[in-house]
Amino acid sequence: MVSRNSFNMTTAFSTALKRGRAFLTPTNSSTAVPKLHDGFAKAPEGSLFPRVDPSIDGEDCDHDCESCTVKYPANFKIDEDKKLYGHVNGWATHMLVATGKTDWVRDVSDEKGSVMEAVRDCGVEPTNGKLMLSASNIPPPQDHHSSSDPTTILLLPSFSIIENVTPHTVPTLIEQHINSTPTSTTPLPTTTTLNHPKTPTQPYEPPPPSHPSPFTTRPCPHRYLILLCSQRTRDARCGQSAPLLRREFERHLRPLGLYRDLQDDRPGGVGIYFISHVGGHKFSANVMVYRRGGAADAPSGDRSGNGDVMGEGSQCVWLARVRPEDCEGIIRFTLLQGKVVKPERQLRGGFDREKGLVSW
């Protein structure tokens, strides 16, 4: 006959053993990383983008550029201590408005009669998530003389250019294009991701309007985009850093045949644009790198100068605390390979539509 004490001890031991097994048994990725945004997951620090590896990328892959002669002003001081990763608010679509300027009123939505003001005040909200709105130095049309004249916008991550946009047509723009455009959490067309084993989506094409559209659309010609916050009215450091970084990026892109100036629409290459405040100017300089997808996820006919098909934007890597001596590494590894050189110090966040991961 088994005593009550023996029974209780056996039961307790069995329970403890089960708990230990449960604790030691590894969980699958879908349990360990909570799924968000239609199957996308929040990437833990260190897992969103690969870090450069000296054994693969060369012993000098994480070194500062030795030939850089561009320097920030001596009084250029920023926050070097606060943790960066995972503290940016997520966004679905990024809309760049062509203004031809490099600085703007403090809040670009306060620019009277502008497309930016209309986005804020028109009363029509995007239905596919948060819209990040940036004024940019992209040249507007030649007949653009005031904020209310027709201008051009660039939508990301679809890499779509929409022309003939006015404040009056902003509601139509949102309903016809922004609501249906791919977002940061839309799986890449016909791609395989960690959270979408097989995604039979199709490349983005604007839906046919129910009535004649006032807009003209075309794909952005560039394979990569570098966006630099230049808004001096928000913080002088942004106005100081942006032109210096652009000069250094250009120095490294020209020998590769990748540099494109503001008037250069040759297919492929890198477009460098100044944009308005994106937050975190105390971590200046803020740099956003948009990388386009490859042949497998591109619509037919969208090709670079090398004959490669270019698809939608697959990644955005948002960096901060960028200095001129970082530019070479950002070109070699972040822009061209999707790797990060100094993740602990510089990576604020971003998304990877191929992996199905975001930082928020």
Side-chain angles (χ1 to χ4, degrees), residues 207-352:
S210 56
H211 50 80
S213 174
F215 312 116
T216 301
T217 63
R218 58 185 173 92
C220 174
H222 306 309
R223 177 171 286 278
Y224 311 98
L225 295 175
I226 298 176
L227 309 182
L228 308 173
C229 178
S230 67
Q231 190 168 358
R232 183 181 295 271
T233 55
R234 295 298 293 259
D235 195 292
R237 292 168 294 189
C238 298
Q240 292 169 336
S241 62
L244 297 177
L245 291 180
R246 180 177 63 180
R247 186 194 312 171
E248 190 64 10
F249 279 130
E250 178 181 349
R251 185 172 76 90
H252 292 288
L253 289 169
R254 282 193 180 279
L256 301 175
L258 295 176
Y259 178 70
R260 302 289 188 269
D261 64 28
L262 293 175
Q263 307 295 335
D264 191 342
D265 280 344
R266 286 178 297 157
V270 183
I272 303 178
Y273 299 132
F274 290 170
I275 62 171
S276 56
H277 179 65
V278 292
H281 46 253
K282 64 182 178 181
F283 307 122
S284 184
N286 278 274
V287 177
M288 301 179 77
V289 178
Y290 278 92
R291 306 182 68 247
R292 215 159 180 171
D297 49 75
S300 175
D302 185 11
R303 299 177 179 273
S304 73
N306 298 323
D308 297 327
V309 178
M310 295 193 296
E312 299 168 4
S314 60
Q315 294 177 325
C316 177
V317 186
W318 188 340
L319 303 173
R321 299 177 178 143
V322 175
R323 303 184 69 85
E325 57 266 29
D326 297 318
C327 292
E328 180 184 29
I330 291 173
I331 295 297
R332 290 177 59 195
F333 300 109
T334 305
L335 184 87
L336 297 179
Q337 301 184 48
K339 299 180 179 182
V340 183
V341 179
K342 302 175 181 178
E344 292 86 359
R345 181 177 182 270
Q346 294 183 329
L347 182 60
R348 292 191 71 184
F351 62 80
D352 189 320

Side-chain angles (χ1 to χ4, degrees), residues 59-88:
E59 294 182 359
D60 63 344
C61 65
D62 55 359
H63 295 183
D64 291 342
C65 176
E66 295 180 354
S67 63
C68 179
T69 60
V70 175
K71 303 294 181 184
Y72 285 158
N75 62 348
F76 193 95
K77 306 296 182 183
I78 61 170
D79 185 329
E80 293 280 3
D81 301 319
K82 189 172 181 180
K83 180 180 175 65
L84 289 182
Y85 182 78
H87 293 282
V88 296

